């Protein structure tokens, strides 16, 4: 028996933790964290279940072309040449008829997007989108409009923090291993953790203090904190004078939002607000008020995230040890970054179909609004969209109202899915181009910014079990057929050498899957890439365009007497909707439940474990098991996202649980009032008892 270790990156979520894949006779047998890169051998359940994905035969195994109606599930298995020739031919015909701008592409963002952006740009389309309008769009814009840098460019120095505040962010359960380790290390050193949510979580259980707010009132809470910091002169006056522009405008804006007002709006005691503000001031500047993660929650989530960053600003946290540190890149380390594929081509001059860059407010570079692109496809304005490619992206599950989405998708002449697992979007496509699991798949090199910037390598640990191909190869072959041969590479090593050209780094320099660009930590300091060079309370481009940087608070609607506000979230066992059929993770968490407060269950005649009918305002309904949870806000009903699978090819997950997206009728047009991220928690549902003899969905 020959044993070996392949150093790679996990692919079970977008965190991409460094891993070791232990092999015997070239077969992967065990996955653990990369002990050489800082987080030890620990992994979350999803990462450890990567071998379940590798071994799963209930995933696409060869290229497929649709034969029946969309969504019918009738496929013709074809060779890769036929699949790529067919796809490229259809794309060419569509672009000849409607122009290159008729192509829409979406994917989950990250370091591997460079090649897909190059393909779309090289073909002449401006319409490359990511999934952030259903995830981190609002928080990204909040960071950008204040600091000139997006949220991922600011690193949280948890290890040295003295007080952490998380707001709707269950960071100890939904789940970045390195982040969790750093938070736990800080708690061991006496750091306070305040958790603000509408339900009890693992994070709340470890918190120094937990607060349960009325759903949708997070912005009121933040305004009360800002008011208290300013009224009691608890802010860092020196930092504000040096680094914050338009402080007087902020002070005027928050003057009506007293702690007493906020407490009444949120349904908590006023001391909760004033005490927290004073504790933060005492711990400053080693304070982190988390800006948010999946911050497409309410119609005012952009302002919620923006005020969170403003609290950090008043406390002097930006650039401070134990606060928010600007990530260092290759240039900060005196090195050259990876060569870009997208830079091979000029940016298209055509306006984007989703309105970003011309119709919508000035957004951070790389921003997109996929739901608005779908709407543009339906209306034909500003021009027809006729071909859609989704890469590792399942909008029919990730975004609200699948039926409304399908009505938009009906206007496309070609739907293509590149995927490593079945999804509702893949099932509804015209062509499925299957990828291997991350265990079998190498990827583009990743430049990871941070205190010690690194270049990371994902290497395959085994040959593909099925007739699948990695995304870099598929995109390159499509490019080759469409007149972009420079995107096609024969081997992964050739691809990597292209990226490393000019860096002075060779493939032989990678030890344990990484090359460090700096031997010592780098702190660029509080650098703000705004027009003024300061944190801008009034964001100059918005103000010049007549868009308010500070929007007055609007009290959210309350559910009716028999209604609940639908709250969705994540769990350590599952990533979105692609892990429920994983044979290892399915056994750990096979079904989702409806969490409600015990007093609400009693009023409805529901006991813990009963089965109830959950019904949306549209009339859509399904059965779900009820869990009575002490500490839930009585207005909220919480459920895990990603369930409700119905595809016949997923035998384990099929028919278990409910999909929250089906209870969001009209959700494609419910969005944040300023930044336009989708408002996923603006929907209400009802629960009624049903036959309690049926305990499982």
């Amino acid at each position: 028996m020959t044993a070996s270790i392949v150093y790679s990156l996990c692919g079970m979520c977008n965190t991409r933790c460094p891993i070791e894949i232990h092999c015997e006779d070239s077969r992967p047998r065990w996955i653990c964290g990369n002990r050489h890169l800082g987080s030890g051998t620990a992994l979350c359940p999803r990462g450890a279940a990567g071998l379940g994905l590798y071994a799963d035969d209930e995933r696409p195994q060869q290229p497929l072309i649709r034969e029946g109606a969309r969504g019918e599930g009738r496929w013709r298995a074809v060779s890769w040449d036929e699949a790529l020739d067919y796809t490229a031919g259809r794309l060419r015909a569509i672009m000849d008829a409607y122009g290159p701008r008729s192509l829409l592409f979406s994917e989950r963002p990250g370091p591997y997007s460079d090649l897909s952006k190059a393909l779309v740009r090289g073909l002449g389309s401006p319409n490359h989108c990511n999934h952030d309008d259903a995830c981190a769009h609002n928080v990204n814009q909040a960071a950008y409009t204040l600091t000139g840098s997006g949220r991922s460019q600011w690193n949280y120095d948890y290890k040295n923090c003295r007080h952490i505040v998380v707001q709707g962010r269950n960071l100890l359960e939904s789940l970045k291993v390195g982040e969790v380790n750093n938070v736990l290390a800080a708690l061991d050193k006496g750091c306070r953790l305040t958790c603000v949510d509408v339900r009890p979580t693992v994070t709340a259980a470890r918190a120094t203090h937990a607060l349960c707010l009325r759903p949708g009132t997070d912005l009121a809470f933040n305004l009360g904190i800002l008011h208290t910091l300013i009224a009691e002169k608890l802010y860092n006056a020196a930092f504000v004078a040096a680094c914050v522009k338009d402080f007087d405008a902020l002070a005027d804006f928050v003057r009506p939002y007293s702690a007493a007002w906020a407490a009444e709006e949120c349904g908590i005691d006023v001391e909760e607000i004033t005490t927290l503000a004073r504790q933060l001031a005492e711990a400053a500047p080693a304070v982190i008020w988390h800006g948010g993660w999946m911050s497409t929650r309410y119609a005012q989530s952009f302002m919620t995230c923006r005020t969170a960053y403003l609290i950090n600003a008043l406390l002097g946290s930006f650039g401070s040890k134990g606060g928010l540190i600007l990530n260092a890149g290759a240039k900060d380390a005196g090195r050259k970054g990876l060569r870009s594929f997208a830079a091979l081509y000029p940016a298209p001059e055509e306006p984007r179909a989703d309105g970003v860059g011309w119709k919508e407010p000035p957004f951070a570079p790389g921003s997109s609004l996929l739901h608005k692109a779908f709407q543009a496809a339906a209306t034909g304005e500003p021009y027809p969209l006729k071909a859609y490619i989704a890469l590792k992206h399942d909008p029919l599950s990730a975004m609200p109202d699948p039926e409304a989405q399908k009505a938009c998708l009906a206007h496309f002449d070609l739907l293509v899915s590149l995927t490593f697992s079945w999804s509702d979007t893949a099932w509804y496509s015209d062509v499925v181009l299957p990828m291997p699991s991350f265990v079998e798949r190498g990827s583009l090199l990743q430049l990871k910014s941070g205190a010690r910037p690194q270049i990371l390598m994902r290497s395959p640990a085994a040959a593909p079990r099925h007739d699948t191909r990695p995304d870099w190869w598929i995109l390159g072959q499509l490019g080759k057929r469409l007149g972009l041969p420079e995107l096609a590479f024969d081997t992964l090593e050739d691809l990597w050498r292209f990226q490393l050209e000019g860096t002075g780094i060779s493939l032989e320099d990678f030890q344990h899957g990484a090359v460090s660009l700096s031997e010592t930590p780098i702190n660029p300091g509080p650098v703000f890439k705004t027009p003024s060079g300061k944190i801008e309370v009034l964001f100059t481009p918005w103000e010049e365009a007549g868009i308010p940087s500070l929007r007055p608070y609007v009290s959210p609607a309350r559910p009716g007497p028999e209604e609940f506000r639908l709250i969705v979230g994540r769990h350590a066992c599952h990533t979105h909707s692609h892990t429920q059929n994983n044979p290892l993770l399915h056994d750990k968490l096979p079904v989702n439940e409806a969490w409600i407060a015990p007093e609400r269950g009693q009023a409805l005649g529901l006991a813990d474990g009963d089965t109830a009918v959950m019904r949306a305002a549209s009339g859509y309904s399904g059965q779900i098991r009820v869990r009575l949870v002490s500490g839930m806000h009585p207005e909220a009903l919480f459920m895990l996202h990603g369930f409700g699978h119905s595809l016949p090819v997923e035998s384990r997950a099929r028919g278990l649980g409910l999909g929250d997206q089906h209870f969001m009728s009209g959700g494609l047009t419910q969005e944040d009032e300023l930044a336009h991220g989708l408002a996923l928690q603006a929907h209400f549902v009802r629960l009624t008892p049903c036959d309690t003899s049926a305990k499982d969905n």
Side-chain angles (χ1 to χ4, degrees):
M1 181 184 71
T2 303
S4 61
I5 299 176
V6 175
Y7 296 98
S8 190
L9 298 173
C10 182
M12 294 297 282
C13 79
N14 267 16
T15 301
R16 297 175 297 275
C17 292
I19 56 172
E20 300 175 4
I21 305 177
H22 292 246
C23 302
E24 296 175 357
D25 295 330
S26 299
R27 289 184 59 84
R29 298 294 189 185
W30 179 254
I31 301 177
C32 65
N34 186 334
R35 70 197 75 201
H36 302 282
L37 296 184
S39 294
T41 58
L43 276 184
C44 77
R46 295 165 296 179
L51 291 183
L53 175 63
Y54 166 74
D56 187 11
D57 289 329
E58 292 190 350
R59 53 184 171 111
Q61 298 182 14
Q62 64 277 311
L64 301 169
I65 296 176
R66 175 176 62 84
E67 288 204 316
R70 281 180 179 165
E72 188 178 355
R74 291 174 55 202
W75 304 99
R76 175 167 59 92
V78 297
S79 68
W80 274 101
D81 279 339
E82 182 175 354
L84 293 166
D85 288 344
Y86 176 85
T87 302
R90 292 286 303 277
L91 285 171
R92 174 68 69 195
I94 289 170
M95 291 189 296
D96 286 346
Y98 298 99
R101 65 186 185 179
S102 61
L103 170 62
L104 173 67
F105 193 108
S106 76
E107 63 180 313
R108 307 197 71 80
Y112 309 135
S113 299
D114 184 42
L115 191 57
S116 58
K117 290 178 181 176
L119 176 66
V120 177
R121 179 184 281 197
L123 293 176
S125 174
N127 296 311
H128 183 281
C129 293
N130 60 46
H131 82 300
D132 266 359
D133 53 349
C135 187
H137 176 79
N138 291 333
V139 65
N140 192 52
Q141 304 313 319
Y144 176 72
T145 59
L146 284 166
T147 71
S149 299
R151 56 108 187 170
S152 63
Q153 293 170 277
W154 291 100
N155 183 48
Y156 297 119
D157 185 15
Y158 288 118
K159 274 189 176 180
N160 298 301
C161 191
R162 297 181 60 201
H163 197 146
I164 302 167
V165 180
V166 289
Q167 189 171 23
R169 168 66 175 143
N170 186 14
L171 59 78
L172 295 185
E173 186 177 7
S174 178
L175 181 68
K176 300 170 73 173
V177 175
E179 179 181 77
V180 170
N181 289 343
N182 289 338
V183 170
L184 294 178
L187 296 180
D188 288 343
K189 293 190 294 184
C191 175
R192 295 182 64 88
L193 173 61
T194 298
C195 181
V196 182
D197 215 319
V198 300
R199 68 182 182 103
T201 64
V202 170
T203 306
R206 286 301 306 266
T208 315
H209 190 55
L211 288 165
C212 185
L213 304 188
R214 180 166 77 88
T217 62
D218 299 78
L219 176 56
F221 183 76
N222 292 11
L223 292 171
I225 293 289
L226 284 168
H227 177 102
T228 304
L229 291 175
I230 294 172
E232 298 188 8
K233 300 188 183 304
L234 300 172
Y235 59 91
N236 185 327
F239 182 88
V240 168
C243 298
V244 178
K245 182 175 178 288
D246 305 312
F247 171 73
D248 290 343
L250 176 63
D252 289 341
F253 177 74
V254 302
R255 190 167 288 115
Y257 302 118
S258 67
W261 166 85
E264 182 175 359
E265 178 68 11
C266 298
I268 59 176
D269 293 333
V270 66
E271 289 80 11
E272 302 279 17
I273 295 174
T274 55
T275 299
L276 176 58
R278 293 162 189 163
Q279 289 173 343
L280 291 170
E282 183 180 350
V287 168
I288 294 170
W289 190 300
H290 196 290
W293 185 260
M294 194 196 76
S295 299
T296 50
R297 295 190 290 267
Y298 306 114
Q300 299 178 96
S301 286
F302 167 78
M303 278 294 292
T304 302
C305 299
R306 204 163 192 267
T307 51
Y309 284 122
L310 283 169
I311 292 168
N312 286 307
L314 294 193
L315 295 169
S317 301
F318 283 97
S320 296
K321 182 178 179 180
L324 282 69
I325 309 296
L326 191 64
N327 280 327
K331 185 176 180 180
D332 299 300
R335 306 290 292 271
K336 185 176 180 180
L338 295 171
R339 187 180 178 191
S340 168
F341 294 101
L344 294 173
Y345 311 104
E349 296 181 358
E350 295 273 11
R352 292 178 57 91
D354 60 8
V356 172
W358 61 281
K359 186 178 181 180
E360 298 300 334
F363 285 145
S367 298
S368 63
L369 294 168
L370 182 61
H371 68 289
K372 289 188 179 292
F374 279 8
Q375 294 165 22
T379 64
E381 298 293 336
Y383 48 76
L385 289 173
K386 291 296 182 180
Y388 174 43
I389 302 175
L391 170 59
K392 295 185 295 182
H393 189 198
D394 183 17
L396 287 177
S397 293
M399 288 171 30
D401 202 341
E403 294 308 312
Q405 289 188 60
K406 289 178 182 178
C408 297
L409 294 175
H411 294 269
F412 288 92
D413 295 339
L414 178 67
L415 304 177
V416 181
S417 180
L418 282 69
T419 183
F420 56 80
S421 63
W422 277 110
S423 68
D424 287 352
T425 302
W427 194 253
Y428 199 70
S429 295
D430 304 317
V431 182
V432 175
L433 302 177
M435 298 164 52
S437 70
F438 72 90
V439 177
E440 312 149 89
R441 184 178 78 245
S443 296
L444 275 67
L445 296 173
Q446 171 187 351
L447 176 59
K448 184 177 178 63
S449 58
R452 288 186 176 91
Q454 298 174 305
I455 297 177
L456 301 176
M457 176 183 284
R458 172 184 281 159
S459 299
R465 293 185 57 241
H466 305 297
D467 189 14
T468 57
R469 298 288 188 274
D471 47 342
W472 61 265
W473 185 88
I474 298 171
L475 296 174
Q477 290 300 311
L478 284 175
K480 183 178 180 180
R481 286 165 168 79
L482 292 167
L484 304 173
E486 58 275 13
L487 297 183
F489 293 86
D490 293 329
T491 68
L492 183 60
E493 289 74 19
D494 289 340
L495 181 89
W496 287 342
R497 291 188 185 97
F498 173 94
Q499 291 184 277
L500 290 172
E501 187 176 318
T503 63
I505 298 170
S506 69
L507 297 180
E508 291 70 32
D509 293 327
F510 283 83
Q511 298 294 318
H512 307 118
V515 170
S516 178
L517 302 184
S518 175
E519 296 302 320
T520 58
I522 302 171
N523 183 353
V527 177
F528 307 112
K529 302 173 185 178
T530 56
S532 66
K534 296 183 178 183
I535 294 172
E536 293 195 352
V537 175
L538 304 180
F539 181 49
T540 299
W542 282 26
E543 296 297 318
E544 292 176 349
I547 301 168
S549 303
L550 299 171
R551 180 72 64 93
Y553 178 81
V554 177
S555 185
R558 292 179 180 267
E562 298 179 358
E563 292 182 327
F564 298 84
R565 183 181 289 271
L566 180 60
I567 306 294
V568 295
R570 308 286 189 258
H571 187 276
C573 277
H574 288 301
T575 305
H576 308 293
S577 60
H578 84 78
T579 55
Q580 283 75 14
N581 203 57
N582 183 297
L584 299 177
L585 296 171
H586 171 80
D587 291 343
K588 295 294 183 183
L589 186 61
V591 66
N592 59 355
E593 300 172 315
W595 293 23
I596 61 173
E599 61 268 30
R600 291 298 304 277
Q602 183 178 9
L604 293 170
L606 291 167
D608 190 61
D610 281 355
T611 301
V613 175
M614 192 165 96
R615 184 171 283 103
S618 66
Y620 182 88
S621 65
Q623 293 188 13
I624 190 166
R625 188 164 52 208
V626 174
R627 183 176 176 186
L628 303 184
V629 179
S630 297
M632 281 289 299
H633 195 281
E635 292 184 10
L637 181 150
F638 171 81
M639 65 189 299
L640 291 173
H641 172 70
F643 289 82
H645 290 228
S646 61
L647 303 184
V649 286
E650 296 184 301
S651 66
R652 291 173 287 272
R654 185 184 186 190
L656 292 178
L658 296 180
D660 55 85
Q661 67 274 17
H662 295 287
F663 293 86
M664 299 178 181
S665 180
L668 280 186
T669 58
Q670 295 212 37
E671 57 186 31
D672 181 271
E673 57 192 12
L674 283 175
H676 304 306
L678 288 166
L680 301 179
Q681 295 181 173
H683 304 272
F684 299 97
V685 296
R686 293 172 179 260
L687 278 184
T688 55
C690 65
D691 182 5
T692 56
S693 65
K695 292 290 184 182
D696 295 306
N697 293 299

